[in-house]
């Protein structure tokens, strides 16, 4: 009200920032999750109010307006993901929008490390003068093997440019590692990227072959002008006594093959996958993720929606308890998650702290047996009485077809995890694919 008196003609009610004690802009935040704050102010002033925070699709924006939460809505990152968002909405093509998944990896994280801002799902963002998908003069027949993020970007962009593209996927659906990411509580938005690529496959007439583990012989016989291997990664194995026990699993066993995990579990590896695994196992999956329920989210993170005191902070966060006792282990020294995203890593650490996940560093793995996982921490031996061990110790490139195709004198490109598995992420995979097929 004082701002209105001072002469403002419009107010943007953005809540918090990437370092606020309550996450306000990360993927974990429900869509439109802070519009209720703006709604409390509607009618209290006579100038337009703008709602912001995690409004990333036309239907989310429309619902906020229809519910009387605001006069206008604000978006920023969604226009990096898809600069044609408004046009597609106007033309009834919302299903073609490349949705912002609020990961911050290529926008805010780049900005705060003095890199050029871009977008994980749209490599062209802020690079429009150097990366363009121009119509081809010579149409080629291209095979893309693997329908994870790298393969999907390569196939759809190549087809958009005019090439004839065949996309081969051994599983029964596209998405690759995003199919595991989307089931992590707080990462449900990753399903939107899979939805987008499904639409692009149909729009640009990519010939999709699901449940098809293509062979070298088939690819040679197909007489493709270019073959792009985006076959991804396989979990890296580590060696200790008892590692072959059926109770020792890897991340794909748990997230993809849905193998059961007991009430006490040790996670070996505390990189991005280890953190995701801890998030997954520390949630009771019979409850809906709080990222899908604004009221539940506010309760978990300690926000009082009734504003009983200034700042609307509750006495304390009230997270649902973890259904498991979890140990998150790493060999190296230093803070867990130090290499996670600059603007989101603290969210993951805070979430696991609320779930009382035990974090141990400088761990040496000795053996697993009926007593549990035998480890040494800083030279002192101890036994973690766990039911299961889940290995999240990185990945190895999966490139079984490569050498045979080269030997058969084929033109072959490796992209994504099949090229370099270390420090793999979708940002790197999609960027690599985009720059490759922009030139073919």
């Amino acid at each position: 009200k004082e701002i209105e008196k001072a002469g403002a003609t419009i107010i943007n009610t953005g809540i918090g920032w990437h370092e606020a004690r309550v996450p306000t802009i990360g993927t974990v935040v429900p869509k439109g999750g802070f519009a209720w704050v703006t709604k409390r102010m509607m009618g209290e002033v006579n100038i337009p109010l703008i709602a912001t925070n995690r409004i990333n699709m036309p239907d989310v924006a429309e619902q906020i307006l229809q519910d009387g939460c605001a006069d206008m809505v604000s978006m920023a990152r969604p226009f990096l993901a898809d600069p044609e968002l408004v046009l597609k909405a106007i033309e009834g093509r919302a299903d073609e929008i490349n949705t912002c998944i609020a990961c911050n990896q290529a926008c805010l994280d780049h900005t705060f490390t003095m890199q050029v801002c871009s977008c994980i799902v749209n490599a062209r963002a802020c690079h429009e003068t150097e990366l363009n998908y121009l119509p081809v003069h010579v149409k080629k027949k291209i095979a893309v093997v693997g329908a994870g993020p790298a393969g999907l970007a390569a196939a759809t962009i190549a087809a958009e440019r005019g090439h004839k593209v065949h996309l081969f996927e051994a599983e029964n659906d596209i998405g690759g590692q995003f199919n595991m990411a989307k089931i992590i509580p707080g990462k449900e938005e990753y399903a939107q990227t899979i939805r987008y690529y499904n639409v692009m496959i149909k729009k640009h007439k990519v010939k999709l072959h699901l449940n098809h583990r293509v062979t070298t012989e088939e690819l040679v016989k197909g007489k493709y002008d270019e073959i792009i291997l985006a076959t991804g990664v396989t979990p890296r194995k580590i060696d200790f006594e008892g590692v072959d026990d059926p109770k020792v699993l890897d991340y794909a066993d748990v997230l993809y093959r849905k193998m059961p995990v007991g009430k006490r579990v040790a996670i070996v590896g505390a990189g991005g996958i280890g953190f995701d695994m801890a998030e997954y196992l520390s949630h009771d999956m019979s409850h809906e993720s709080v990222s899908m329920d604004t009221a539940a989210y506010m309760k978990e993170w300690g926000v009082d929606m009734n504003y009983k005191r200034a700042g609307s902070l509750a006495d304390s966060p009230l997270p649902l308890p973890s259904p498991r006792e979890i140990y998150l282990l790493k060999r190296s020294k230093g803070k867990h998650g130090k290499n996670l995203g600059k603007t989101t890593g603290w969210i993951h650490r805070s979430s696991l702290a609320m779930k009382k996940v035990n974090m141990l560093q400088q761990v040496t793995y000795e053996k697993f047996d009926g007593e549990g996982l035998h480890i040494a921490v800083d030279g002192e031996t101890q036994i973690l009485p766990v039911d299961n061990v889940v290995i999240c110790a990185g990945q190895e490139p999966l490139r079984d077809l490569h050498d045979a195709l080269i030997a058969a004198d084929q033109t072959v490109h490796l992209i994504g995890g099949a090229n370099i598995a270390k420090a793999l992420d979708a940002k790197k995979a999609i960027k690599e694919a985009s720059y490759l097929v922009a030139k073919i």
Side-chain angles (χ1 to χ4, degrees), residues 244-390:
D244 295 325
D245 190 294
K247 293 181 180 179
V248 178
L249 311 170
D250 63 42
Y251 64 83
D253 290 330
V254 178
L255 298 177
Y256 192 75
R257 290 181 278 275
K258 302 293 191 295
M259 294 180 71
V261 177
K263 293 294 185 182
R264 297 171 300 178
V265 58
I267 299 170
V268 173
I273 296 175
F275 265 78
D276 278 355
M277 181 60 64
E279 196 75 52
Y280 178 77
L281 294 176
S282 66
H283 281 74
D284 183 346
M285 301 310 284
S286 66
H287 289 274
E288 184 178 50
S289 166
V290 299
S291 296
M292 309 300 287
D293 182 332
T294 296
Y297 176 86
M298 298 303 160
K299 182 178 179 180
E300 172 140 319
W301 285 93
V303 177
D304 172 23
M305 297 180 74
N306 294 314
Y307 267 85
K308 289 182 180 177
R309 59 182 176 184
S312 77
L313 287 173
D315 291 332
S316 63
L318 293 172
L320 289 169
S322 170
R324 296 178 178 87
E325 182 179 6
I326 300 171
Y327 298 88
L328 184 59
L329 313 175
K330 70 185 192 113
R331 293 182 187 271
S332 60
K333 184 179 180 180
K335 181 171 66 175
H336 278 59
K338 67 179 180 180
N339 294 322
L340 297 177
K342 190 173 182 66
T343 61
T344 54
W346 70 271
I347 300 175
H348 304 304
R349 287 189 291 270
S350 299
S351 178
L352 296 190
M354 288 196 297
K355 297 292 187 179
K356 296 181 169 49
V357 171
N358 304 289
M359 300 188 185
L360 302 179
Q361 58 176 298
Q362 292 183 280
V363 176
T364 301
Y365 311 108
E366 297 183 344
K367 67 177 179 178
F368 177 76
D369 59 19
E371 292 184 285
L373 181 62
H374 298 245
I375 63 173
V377 180
D378 205 14
E380 293 190 15
T381 300
Q382 58 179 284
I383 302 173
L384 303 181
V386 296
D387 305 306
N388 293 97
V389 175
V390 182

Side-chain angles (χ1 to χ4, degrees), residues 145-151 168-169 176-177 228-235 251 395-400 414-422 424 429:
V145 185
F168 297 93
E169 170 54 50
Q177 300 247 56
I228 300 173
L229 297 182
T231 41
V233 297
T234 187
Y251 64 83
Q395 311 90 20
E396 300 287 352
L398 191 60
R399 51 172 83 140
D400 298 347
L414 282 170
I415 60 172
N419 183 24
I420 301 175
K422 186 178 180 180
L424 172 71

Side-chain angles (χ1 to χ4, degrees), residues 89-111:
I90 290 170
E91 295 179 348
R93 297 187 290 124
D95 61 338
E96 294 185 15
I97 293 173
N98 194 1
T99 306
C100 166
I101 59 176
C103 66
N104 290 359
Q105 289 180 30
C107 53
L108 287 173
D109 286 356
H110 275 205
T111 300

Side-chain angles (χ1 to χ4, degrees), residues 12-203:
N12 186 341
T13 63
I15 306 298
W17 183 224
H18 68 279
E19 292 176 323
R21 59 182 279 185
V22 174
T24 59
I25 61 173
T27 313
V28 68
V29 180
K31 287 183 281 192
F34 287 91
W36 60 275
V37 181
T38 313
K39 189 174 185 178
R40 291 177 62 91
M41 301 162 62
M42 290 287 283
E44 297 292 321
V45 293
N46 296 307
I47 56 177
L49 297 178
I50 305 172
T52 185
N53 295 70
R54 285 286 283 123
I55 302 167
N56 65 348
M57 287 291 277
D59 61 327
V60 179
E62 288 290 356
Q63 194 63 52
I64 288 170
L65 298 175
Q66 289 178 24
D67 291 345
C69 294
D71 298 297
M72 302 170 67
V73 297
S74 170
M75 302 182 192
R77 293 172 297 172
F79 293 110
L80 291 173
D82 195 329
E84 294 187 343
L85 186 151
V86 172
L87 177 63
K88 290 176 180 179
I90 290 170
E91 295 179 348
R93 297 187 290 124
D95 61 338
E96 294 185 15
I97 293 173
N98 194 1
T99 306
C100 166
I101 59 176
C103 66
N104 290 359
Q105 289 180 30
C107 53
L108 287 173
D109 286 356
H110 275 205
T111 300
F112 292 119
T113 52
M114 301 305 291
Q115 300 177 71
V116 176
C117 175
S118 191
C119 177
I120 183 176
V121 297
N122 175 23
R124 284 200 72 223
C126 305
H127 295 75
E128 294 87 353
T129 59
E130 63 183 56
L131 178 59
N132 288 288
Y133 310 139
L134 303 176
V136 297
H137 298 297
V138 178
K139 292 186 178 183
K140 293 182 175 181
K141 184 181 181 183
I142 297 175
V144 179
V145 185
L152 290 169
T156 54
I157 295 169
E160 176 187 352
R161 294 188 59 220
H163 293 303
K164 182 179 180 181
V165 180
H166 288 255
L167 176 59
F168 297 93
E169 170 54 50
E171 303 297 335
N172 62 5
D173 198 3
I174 69 168
Q177 300 247 56
F178 269 30
N179 283 313
M180 290 188 278
K182 73 182 184 183
I183 68 171
I184 306 298
K187 284 192 169 182
E188 293 84 0
E189 203 75 293
Y190 282 60
Q192 293 288 346
T193 303
I194 299 174
R195 181 267 311 155
Y196 166 75
Y197 279 121
N198 264 315
V199 174
M200 291 300 101
I201 284 169
K202 295 182 178 69
K203 179 181 176 69

